Amino acid sequence: MTYIEGRNLFRSQLKVFFEINEIDFYYKMILKSFFKIEPTSLALEPKTLFLPAKVKIIKAVLQRLLNDEPLQYILGTTSFRSLELMVTPAVLIPRPETEELVEWVLEDYKSINCKHLLIDMGTGSGCIAISLAKEQPFFNVTALDISRKALEIAKSNAIKNKTIINFSQADITALSSEIFPINVIVSNPPYIHPREKKEMKNNVLNNEPPIALFVPEEDPLLFYRCILEYAQKNLLPDGVIYFEINPYFLSEMKNLILSITNYSIEERKDIFGKVRMLRLQSH
Ligand SMILES: C[S@@+](CC[C@H](N)C(=O)[O-])C[C@H]1O[C@@H](n2cnc3c(N)ncnc32)[C@H](O)[C@@H]1O
């Protein structure tokens, strides 16, 4: 099989599921990641033959894509802002909306010149914590997650990206009552209601960790409530909370915040025009 025949095989098998440009992107990423073949080689040397062992790998990867496995898990990596992060099915694949949340924090804190204590609740791959620690060195970052496996990935990602983060295995719904004064809380906790499952794609439902996605049916704002209660005790005056939220629950979120705190609330939309982020400021 030649480079171009491989591309055509991908196109013919995957065209029912993906757009052609998406398939070509996948193919090029796979050649680069598995065999260090540059994307330009496809145009410059389309008739180069793959060795039989490589053909075997290409066909196995194609089968995984046909089985709805996300490309990021197949490659074992993804990019988030300027970072390259390791991802496995133990962690959520970081989303572009979360890059926007990080951008908001960085914009607000770009002029600080003294240490600020920041905590990332539900860190997953570590994407938020690592970006913030890397891009604003005055942030002293703690990141927590309930999942030991997720923390292992996050720790490796922190090392790979040369950042120092205090990782802690902890449950957001049972946080220590010890006072831990904090300047900034950032969280993208699980926020999908189980009834939204029918609108979700199989590649998410069958591969990404349910613990990172879903909230209890009867208490969908559980994580936000626990974080707000924690903030009431630990957030310093002028402290700020940044939440990624489920747009379906915007009004319930606002009611929850007003019932627990007197923080001011600011909304921000994601690139798809949905209110996806909140900034809460304590006074
Ligand atoms: C939506 S994911 C976000 C991951 C990452 N911060 C991101 O933005 O891609 C939510 C994370 O919360 C963690 N989590 C779920 N329940 C938790 C709990 N009770 N306490 C702490 N972390 C929890 C999951 O393991 C998962 O990593």
Side-chain angles (χ1 to χ4, degrees):
M1 187 166 73
T2 62
Y3 289 1
I4 202 73
E5 284 168 350
R7 204 258 341 248
N8 293 342
L9 176 69
F10 263 55
R11 283 188 178 181
S12 68
Q13 298 275 304
L14 295 170
K15 66 175 185 244
V16 195
F17 309 105
F18 306 104
E19 302 288 330
I20 290 290
N21 54 359
E22 214 176 345
I23 299 171
D24 290 356
F25 172 75
Y26 283 10
Y27 184 65
K28 287 177 187 165
M29 289 294 287
I30 287 157
L31 294 197
K32 174 134 176 69
S33 168
F34 282 84
F35 313 128
K36 309 268 176 288
I37 296 174
E38 289 300 324
T40 45
S41 306
L42 191 59
L44 298 175
E45 317 150 29
K47 295 196 174 147
T48 307
L49 276 170
F50 287 113
L51 294 171
K54 289 188 176 164
V55 174
K56 233 174 152 179
I57 294 173
I58 290 171
K59 289 188 175 165
V61 169
L62 177 59
Q63 191 53 51
R64 289 175 71 179
L65 286 169
L66 287 166
N67 291 345
D68 266 336
E69 240 184 280
L71 178 72
Q72 294 89 335
Y73 288 151
I74 297 174
L75 301 176
T77 61
T78 192
S79 53
F80 184 85
R81 295 179 63 84
S82 62
L83 308 175
E84 189 175 293
L85 298 173
M86 191 202 306
V87 286
T88 71
V91 299
L92 188 90
I93 298 167
R95 304 294 202 267
E97 301 88 285
T98 311
E99 293 182 310
E100 297 181 61
L101 183 73
V102 168
E103 183 63 37
W104 197 0
V105 183
L106 288 167
E107 265 169 43
D108 288 351
Y109 286 87
K110 63 172 181 275
S111 312
I112 55 172
N113 53 14
C114 62
K115 282 277 171 223
H116 278 58
L117 297 172
L118 180 147
I119 186 159
D120 169 26
M121 300 213 182
T123 198
S125 62
C127 56
I128 295 174
I130 299 169
S131 300
L132 291 173
K134 200 165 178 79
E135 296 189 52
Q136 176 44 277
F138 283 114
F139 281 143
N140 184 335
V141 181
T142 295
L144 63 86
D145 205 288
I146 199 167
S147 158
R148 189 182 46 77
K149 283 191 175 166
L151 284 170
E152 279 167 14
I153 302 292
K155 279 180 196 167
S156 305
N157 281 328
I159 293 168
K160 193 168 138 199
N161 287 287
K162 301 187 174 56
T163 47
I164 295 174
I165 300 200
N166 315 304
F167 287 103
S168 164
Q169 187 174 17
D171 182 347
I172 294 174
T173 66
L175 290 167
S176 150
S177 55
E178 215 175 291
I179 302 292
F180 181 57
I182 197 99
N183 299 101
V184 187
I185 297 175
V186 188
S187 186
N188 172 22
Y191 59 61
I192 302 174
H193 193 282
R195 71 168 169 256
E196 293 176 65
K197 270 188 189 167
K198 53 184 182 301
E199 298 160 31
M200 293 168 69
K201 290 190 176 158
N202 276 342
N203 63 351
V204 175
L205 280 175
N206 297 340
N207 295 281
E208 299 207 61
I211 193 177
L213 299 169
F214 296 107
V215 286
E217 200 158 351
E218 66 295 347
D219 193 3
L221 303 184
L222 168 70
F223 295 105
Y224 298 101
R225 195 176 60 250
C226 294
I227 295 171
L228 288 167
E229 284 164 357
Y230 180 82
Q232 281 293 80
K233 292 188 222 117
N234 296 284
L235 197 64
L236 289 162
D238 287 331
V240 184
I241 306 179
Y242 296 85
F243 279 143
E244 183 169 321
I245 64 156
N246 185 337
Y248 286 137
F249 287 112
L250 177 61
S251 66
E252 289 88 342
M253 270 300 294
K254 287 185 182 167
N255 290 338
L256 175 76
I257 295 160
L258 296 173
S259 72
I260 300 181
T261 74
N262 63 352
Y263 299 163
S264 59
I265 307 174
E266 200 175 322
E267 304 171 5
R268 203 176 256 200
K269 291 183 177 156
D270 62 20
I271 33 165
F272 308 107
K274 294 193 168 163
V275 175
R276 179 77 61 181
M277 292 157 271
L278 294 182
R279 176 174 67 186
L280 317 181
Q281 173 109 43
S282 80
H283 304 288

